[in-house]
Amino acid sequence: MPTRLILGFGNPLRSDDGVGAKAAAALEAELSSQQLQVIAAHQLTPEMAEAVGRSSRVLFLDAAHTGVPGEIRCRRVLRDPEFQPGSGSHDLAPSVLLELAARYFHAQPEAWLLTITGDNFDLGKNLSPAIQAAWEAYLDRIRAWVCGV
């Protein structure tokens, strides 16, 4: 059973918004193992709380809307004890998945959110030049997290 989880999410039809899912998909074959599960998804859903709850460490991958395009940031994610079931069933925040994992699976994994600031969120499948320029650095940060750096 995997003890670590990478969960990349974002809309692949909204240009840079899909960068988290694209990064997870790009690294899935390289990184997946018995100890690490990699999931690429359009959005975070309540069903993912089970995978989060089975993990000791979780890395969420997403695009940021604010900041300098191409900027990579990593921050700790804490659970959201204010979340009320029924207040939303899809398009959840990472903090809500942590809360659901704690409530229903009695788990409190260490969690991080690794973002890269997008420049274009219009309809389209291509990443902006700013994201393309920072792409390898973003993937390297994910690999470093897997290695515990």
Side-chain angles (χ1 to χ4, degrees), residues 19-104:
V19 72
K22 287 181 181 183
L27 292 174
E28 186 172 13
E30 174 187 336
L31 298 178
S32 289
S33 69
Q34 290 184 354
Q35 291 78 36
L36 175 68
Q37 180 180 10
V38 179
I39 299 173
H42 178 83
Q43 61 190 10
L44 300 179
T45 62
E47 297 80 11
M48 294 173 178
E50 182 178 2
V52 171
R54 288 192 317 256
S55 304
S56 60
R57 295 180 71 214
V58 180
L59 180 64
F60 294 96
L61 307 176
D62 194 16
H65 290 261
T66 58
V68 177
E71 178 183 22
I72 300 168
R73 289 177 280 180
C74 190
R75 69 172 178 85
R76 185 80 187 260
V77 180
L78 302 174
R79 50 188 275 217
D80 179 4
E82 302 298 317
F83 174 74
Q84 295 298 316
S87 63
S89 63
H90 291 86
D91 197 25
L92 302 175
S95 59
V96 170
L97 276 184
L98 290 174
E99 182 62 26
L100 293 173
R103 288 184 193 181
Y104 300 111

Side-chain angles (χ1 to χ4, degrees), residues 1 12 23 32 42 80 82 103 108 117 119 125 128 140 147-148:
M1 180 179 310
S32 289
H42 178 83
D80 179 4
E82 302 298 317
R103 288 184 193 181
Q108 295 192 36
T117 304
D119 191 35
K125 293 183 179 182
S128 68
D140 286 344
C147 295

